[in-house]
Amino acid sequence: MAKRPGIFPTFFLSGFECSTFLWRDRKRRDLVAETRHREHALEDYRILHDLGIAVAREGIPWPMVDTPSGYDFQTIAPMLDAMRQTRITPIWDLCHYGYPEELDPFSEEFCTRFANYCRAAAQHVSRHLPGPYFFTPINEITFFSFCGGEWGWVAPYRNTRDDRMKLRVALCKAAICGVNAIREVLPDARMVHVDPLVQVIAPPDRPDLKEAARHETFVDTFVAWDILFGKSHPELGGSPEVLDIVGVNNYSFGQMEYREQGPHQALDPGHPGILPLCTLMARVWDRYRRPIVIGETSGMNQGRTEWLRDVMNEAMAAVNQGMDLHGICLFPGIDMPDWHTGQWLHNGICDLVEDNGDLRRVPFAPYVDELRRWQKELNRVTAVDEDPYSDPVELQDVIDAARRLRPAPDADWH
């Protein structure tokens, strides 16, 4: 039987929260600083290494790198050193909700500055790390456009549906410019464009909102990916090669009840409107037929273990339906704070515990045990090899496991 190598050296991926948005109080947030990831970079990467995870989503903070005196990449030096020591491959997020505050994302200058920065970032990381190279030019374009275009949570602080639509197109335009700039430097670089999987239903007492909910689910969810793919706004230069790898983010709050103002209301577990993850993934696969990764997923608190079990069963069902699934990103690797309250979410592989002014990394043992169980089911490594690319993921192993387990898609999640 012919080998079917995967895109990544391990099937399980992880990553670190790296948002750098201007929050609604007009102050810059740096989630890497809030989680002490820079100070603990080597420890954080060794945790992934010892868990058999050889790929990590990591951020380059555009507003901190693109300075008036030129590009300064010193802020990612600890991460580069940690990656070299642990042999973990990054997927670089180049704009994780943050951009230089003097820029207007609706302007042509935004695209030009972003492309120049992407080009410089590609040059920098390729001087310090071996390939292959992976990038997410702009993280979660759809969610970003809600946060900054309609809800006013982050810059550019707009608050209308029309602004949200315009911001999404502007971000897609910049992302395509970024892809082209990166590939001028690294022609073989791969792109992972991530956005949430979404299912929206109307409130039971508001049948008049059914069409709005349907539009949100079947049209709005796909606008950014459609532009990147070239299905819409072809003048912006999208194509299947630009879209490349589709990253579908899966969280419980992605299934919602429609609200006319502000964010929709997340459905409670057991709600009859919830659909299986496999069903949501099939909508993406049928639309683009591009390689898929689950770009982010995590449960909360004690539910993390059961969440991973549910996601893996749904992923195996998706593989049995013929979807080209290349990995699952257990995000984040270490805990992160709720943007609004600052409270730790307890959604990471490791919790963060205050300890004499520092943040101690404490693996959540039941979650780790469940990861180990699935690594064995899929015949995957449980620690990163000396050369992770010497024995890449054999997708046939994943396919064989899916056929052996034969899970049925199930709307029951925790």
Side-chain angles (χ1 to χ4, degrees):
M1 186 177 294
K3 286 184 175 294
R4 293 195 58 199
I7 294 170
F8 301 104
T10 54
F11 187 76
F12 291 101
L13 296 64
S14 190
F16 303 97
E17 167 63 12
C18 56
S19 297
T20 55
F21 44 71
L22 281 170
W23 191 232
R24 52 191 173 195
D25 60 4
R26 272 37 179 192
K27 294 179 181 178
R28 177 78 65 190
R29 295 280 293 275
D30 177 5
L31 273 293
V32 172
E34 293 179 33
T35 59
R36 309 279 176 85
H37 176 47
R38 284 189 194 92
E39 295 89 336
H40 289 266
L42 183 55
E43 179 185 0
D44 292 343
Y45 275 90
R46 281 178 172 158
I47 289 168
L48 299 189
H49 173 280
D50 294 345
L51 289 174
I53 295 173
V55 183
R57 296 191 61 198
E58 182 63 86
I60 301 178
W62 183 17
M64 301 170 191
V65 165
D66 189 353
T67 73
S69 57
Y71 297 113
D72 181 0
F73 289 98
Q74 190 57 35
T75 187
I76 63 166
M79 290 75 153
L80 290 168
D81 181 61
M83 291 166 188
R84 283 191 295 268
Q85 291 195 49
T86 58
R87 293 174 172 80
I88 289 176
T89 296
I91 302 173
W92 292 109
D93 275 15
L94 298 181
C95 176
H96 205 103
Y97 312 125
Y99 57 88
E101 55 195 278
E102 72 274 11
L103 284 179
D104 174 3
F106 299 97
S107 69
E108 286 296 327
E109 184 189 7
F110 187 90
C111 285
T112 301
R113 281 273 294 276
F114 185 64
N116 290 340
Y117 152 69
C118 288
R119 192 177 295 108
Q123 290 168 344
H124 185 80
V125 299
S126 63
R127 284 196 296 266
H128 289 83
L129 294 173
Y133 301 101
F134 300 92
F135 297 89
T136 296
I138 298 181
N139 178 62
E140 288 191 325
I141 288 173
T142 298
F143 185 67
F144 192 176
S145 67
F146 270 106
C147 286
E150 185 168 338
W151 301 337
W153 289 1
V154 303
Y157 306 117
R158 302 296 180 91
N159 55 16
T160 71
R161 186 174 185 275
D162 187 54
D163 284 331
R164 187 235 302 178
M165 301 298 185
K166 289 177 180 176
L167 180 58
R168 182 162 43 191
V169 173
L171 293 173
C172 287
K173 180 179 178 180
I176 292 167
C177 290
V179 170
N180 293 335
I182 292 165
R183 286 181 173 158
E184 289 174 16
V185 179
L186 301 169
D188 295 329
R190 303 297 302 268
M191 304 297 147
V192 185
H193 292 284
V194 300
D195 243 331
L197 289 172
V198 172
Q199 163 76 4
V200 185
I201 63 171
D205 60 344
R206 292 294 304 275
D208 57 305
L209 294 179
K210 283 185 178 179
E211 177 53 32
R214 189 205 66 80
H215 189 277
E216 193 93 9
T217 300
F218 293 101
V219 178
D220 240 23
T221 298
F222 299 100
V223 169
W225 283 325
D226 278 357
I227 294 173
L228 297 169
F229 188 84
K231 280 179 176 284
S232 63
H233 291 278
E235 72 280 1
L236 299 182
S239 69
E241 294 73 28
V242 166
L243 179 62
D244 199 3
I245 302 164
V246 183
V248 296
N249 290 357
N250 175 54
Y251 292 109
S252 62
F253 46 80
Q255 303 215 37
M256 302 168 281
E257 190 174 85
Y258 191 88
R259 293 291 182 269
E260 292 177 280
Q261 300 295 326
H264 305 315
Q265 177 64 46
L267 300 179
D268 292 328
H271 192 287
I274 292 171
L275 292 181
L277 168 59
C278 181
T279 300
L280 304 187
M281 291 175 64
R283 293 173 182 170
V284 178
W285 171 247
D286 291 343
R287 197 174 187 102
Y288 306 113
R289 298 282 166 157
R290 297 297 304 173
I292 295 178
V293 296
I294 295 179
E296 293 179 18
T297 195
S298 65
M300 307 283 281
N301 296 300
Q302 299 302 312
R304 281 172 276 187
T305 305
E306 202 114 19
W307 180 266
L308 176 55
R309 187 177 305 128
D310 286 348
V311 167
M312 286 305 302
N313 282 321
E314 293 295 310
M316 294 298 95
V319 169
N320 282 337
Q321 291 185 18
M323 296 180 219
D324 189 20
L325 180 65
H326 283 257
I328 296 174
C329 180
L330 308 182
F331 188 94
I334 59 172
D335 204 359
M336 58 179 283
D338 182 284
W339 290 358
H340 302 274
T341 68
Q343 298 297 309
W344 297 115
L345 289 172
H346 299 294
N347 63 341
I349 298 173
C350 294
D351 289 325
L352 293 179
V353 177
E354 305 275 351
D355 186 3
N356 293 320
D358 200 2
L359 293 173
R360 186 159 45 92
R361 278 71 174 136
V362 180
F364 183 56
Y367 193 13
V368 171
D369 290 345
E370 186 66 11
L371 167 61
R372 294 304 197 195
R373 185 175 78 82
W374 281 102
Q375 286 170 328
K376 292 174 184 174
E377 288 279 13
L378 304 182
N379 192 29
R380 304 318 317 146
V381 298
T382 55
V384 175
D385 299 337
E386 184 70 19
D387 176 9
Y389 288 92
S390 65
D391 183 25
V393 172
E394 175 51 61
L395 289 183
Q396 192 59 49
D397 289 341
V398 178
I399 292 168
D400 289 346
R403 289 173 177 168
R404 183 181 73 253
L405 296 168
R406 291 185 297 170
D410 183 354
D412 181 26
W413 47 261
H414 300 269

